């Protein structure tokens, strides 16, 4: 007879995350226990809390939830006991956490201050392995209308044309825009191509009435603002 997967009810009552949450509150649960409440089912050899502890350990170098958030779906499925369903659940949990943190930070961003903008997007972009170009669109009061990736390039270079930028900007009725992209090398120093692309987009914006107020390049925990450097 095939052995069933261990379930939450197989744990002693005092160790069940549901009961601990009810009596002590969510803040008193460990990371593994919080994940276990959502994942619910372990494997044939491990109950779900033990499995989640293994997953957090497998995330790498004690990085825990941070390391877990960087794992791809394929990488998660390589962890013993994690199949497509559990991997998908974990990715969704991590994505919700990222969106919540981003939403909280967004309320504090001042889009007319390059450092504030860079710090808001830093964690999202500094670990990307390919260049991505983000278009940040603002209204007449400098409030965020929408941000969207409009170009994803090779490991070394992201190609963008002014038409792509302004078709999107018109769609959201933007009055001002900011460009932001990452350098996977970790060095945010603008390349010749970066400066040329910025010049083309700024000139096109002057023609159509949408102001390019900055182009920010993200490196490894550092940034360069072309506006601050007087390169716009």
């Amino acid at each position: 007879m095939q052995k069933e997967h261990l379930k939450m009810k197989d744990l002693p009552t005092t160790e069940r995350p549901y009961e601990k949450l009810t009596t002590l509150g969510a803040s008193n649960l460990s990371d593994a226990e919080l994940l276990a409440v959502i994942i619910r089912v372990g494997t044939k050899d491990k109950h779900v809390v033990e499995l989640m502890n293994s997953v957090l350990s497998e995330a790498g170098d004690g990085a825990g939830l941070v390391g877990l958030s960087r794992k791809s779906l394929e990488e998660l499925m390589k962890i013993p006991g994690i199949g497509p369903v559990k991997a998908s659940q974990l990715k969704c949990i991590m994505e919700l956490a990222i969106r919540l943190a981003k939403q909280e930070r967004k309320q504090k961003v001042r889009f007319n201050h390059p450092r504030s903008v860079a710090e808001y997007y830093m964690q999202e972009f500094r670990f990307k392995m390919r260049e991505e170009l983000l278009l940040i669109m603002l209204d007449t009061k400098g409030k965020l209308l929408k941000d969207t990736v409009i170009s994803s390039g090779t490991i070394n270079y992201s190609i963008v044309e002014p038409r792509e930028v302004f078709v999107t900007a018109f769609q959201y009725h933007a009055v001002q825009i900011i460009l932001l992209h990452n350098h996977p090398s970790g060095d945010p120093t603008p390349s010749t191509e970066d400066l040329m692309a910025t010049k083309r987009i700024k000139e096109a914006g002057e023609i159509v009435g949408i102001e390019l107020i900055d182009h920010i390049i993200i490196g490894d925990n550092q940034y360069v603002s072309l506006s601050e450097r007087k390169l716009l």
Side-chain angles (χ1 to χ4, degrees), residues 118-160:
E119 289 177 348
Y120 172 59
Y121 290 100
M122 183 77 72
Q123 294 307 313
E124 181 180 353
F125 277 82
R126 61 182 289 214
F127 295 114
K128 290 182 181 293
M129 300 306 293
R130 299 169 69 86
E131 282 197 18
E132 290 187 1
L133 179 69
L134 185 79
L135 175 62
I136 302 167
M137 293 164 280
L138 310 174
D139 65 13
T140 53
K141 296 181 179 179
K143 301 294 185 182
L144 180 67
L145 294 169
K146 177 73 175 177
D147 57 18
T148 185
V149 173
I150 58 170
S151 177
S152 181
T154 65
I155 190 93
N156 294 317
Y157 186 56
S158 179
I159 300 172
V160 64

Side-chain angles (χ1 to χ4, degrees), residues 17-32:
Y18 288 127
E19 281 75 2
K20 289 180 69 174
L21 187 150
T22 302
T23 58
L24 300 175
S27 62
N28 286 286
L29 270 62
S30 67
D31 293 344

Side-chain angles (χ1 to χ4, degrees), residues 102 106 109-114 116-118 120-121 124-125 133-139 142-150 165 168-169 172 174-181 210-216 218:
K102 188 175 179 181
K106 183 183 290 185
V109 181
R110 294 177 295 169
F111 286 94
N112 60 338
H113 287 71
S116 180
V117 177
Y120 172 59
Y121 290 100
E124 181 180 353
F125 277 82
L133 179 69
L134 185 79
L135 175 62
I136 302 167
M137 293 164 280
L138 310 174
D139 65 13
K143 301 294 185 182
L144 180 67
L145 294 169
K146 177 73 175 177
D147 57 18
T148 185
V149 173
I150 58 170
V165 172
T168 306
Y172 291 96
V175 175
Q176 299 175 321
I177 58 172
I178 298 171
L179 298 175
L180 180 145
H181 82 279
I210 297 177
E211 182 186 7
L212 173 64
I213 62 173
D214 205 350
H215 185 171
I216 297 171
I218 300 294

Side-chain angles (χ1 to χ4, degrees), residues 1-225:
M1 182 176 178
Q2 189 177 17
K3 186 178 179 182
E4 292 185 357
H5 286 201
L6 294 175
K7 298 178 181 177
M8 203 81 75
K9 65 182 181 181
D10 297 314
L11 289 167
T13 304
T14 55
E15 295 180 20
R16 295 176 189 172
Y18 288 127
E19 281 75 2
K20 289 180 69 174
L21 187 150
T22 302
T23 58
L24 300 175
S27 62
N28 286 286
L29 270 62
S30 67
D31 293 344
E33 289 171 331
L34 288 169
L35 292 173
V37 169
I38 301 170
I39 302 300
R40 298 178 55 204
V41 179
T43 65
K44 298 179 180 66
D45 303 311
K46 293 181 178 179
H47 60 69
V48 64
V49 177
E50 187 179 1
L51 176 61
M52 291 302 102
N53 272 316
S54 296
V55 167
L56 291 169
S57 295
E58 291 274 352
D61 299 325
L65 291 173
V66 175
L68 187 60
S69 70
R70 296 173 187 163
K71 293 285 187 184
S72 67
L73 203 62
E74 294 73 19
E75 288 172 329
L76 287 171
M77 287 190 288
K78 292 178 182 178
I79 299 174
I82 302 299
V85 173
K86 286 187 175 69
S88 297
Q89 289 174 317
L90 289 168
K91 285 300 292 182
C92 288
I93 294 167
M94 293 300 103
E95 181 60 26
L96 281 171
I98 291 168
R99 292 186 187 188
L100 174 60
K102 188 175 179 181
Q103 190 68 34
E104 289 178 338
R105 294 198 308 273
K106 183 183 290 185
Q107 297 171 4
K108 302 176 182 178
V109 181
R110 294 177 295 169
F111 286 94
N112 60 338
H113 287 71
R115 178 174 292 279
S116 180
V117 177
E119 289 177 348
Y120 172 59
Y121 290 100
M122 183 77 72
Q123 294 307 313
E124 181 180 353
F125 277 82
R126 61 182 289 214
F127 295 114
K128 290 182 181 293
M129 300 306 293
R130 299 169 69 86
E131 282 197 18
E132 290 187 1
L133 179 69
L134 185 79
L135 175 62
I136 302 167
M137 293 164 280
L138 310 174
D139 65 13
T140 53
K141 296 181 179 179
K143 301 294 185 182
L144 180 67
L145 294 169
K146 177 73 175 177
D147 57 18
T148 185
V149 173
I150 58 170
S151 177
S152 181
T154 65
I155 190 93
N156 294 317
Y157 186 56
S158 179
I159 300 172
V160 64
E161 292 297 331
R163 183 179 182 279
E164 299 174 62
V165 172
F166 293 107
V167 165
T168 306
F170 278 125
Q171 181 182 350
Y172 291 96
H173 307 288
V175 175
Q176 299 175 321
I177 58 172
I178 298 171
L179 298 175
L180 180 145
H181 82 279
N182 61 305
H183 279 180
S185 67
D187 180 1
T189 303
S191 67
T192 302
E193 291 86 356
D194 292 334
L195 296 175
M196 290 174 61
T198 303
K199 184 174 184 292
R200 290 199 307 271
I201 292 166
K202 180 176 175 61
E203 290 173 348
E206 290 170 351
I207 293 171
V208 300
I210 297 177
E211 182 186 7
L212 173 64
I213 62 173
D214 205 350
H215 185 171
I216 297 171
I217 303 169
I218 300 294
D220 186 7
N221 211 28
Q222 53 186 324
Y223 77 95
V224 166
S225 159

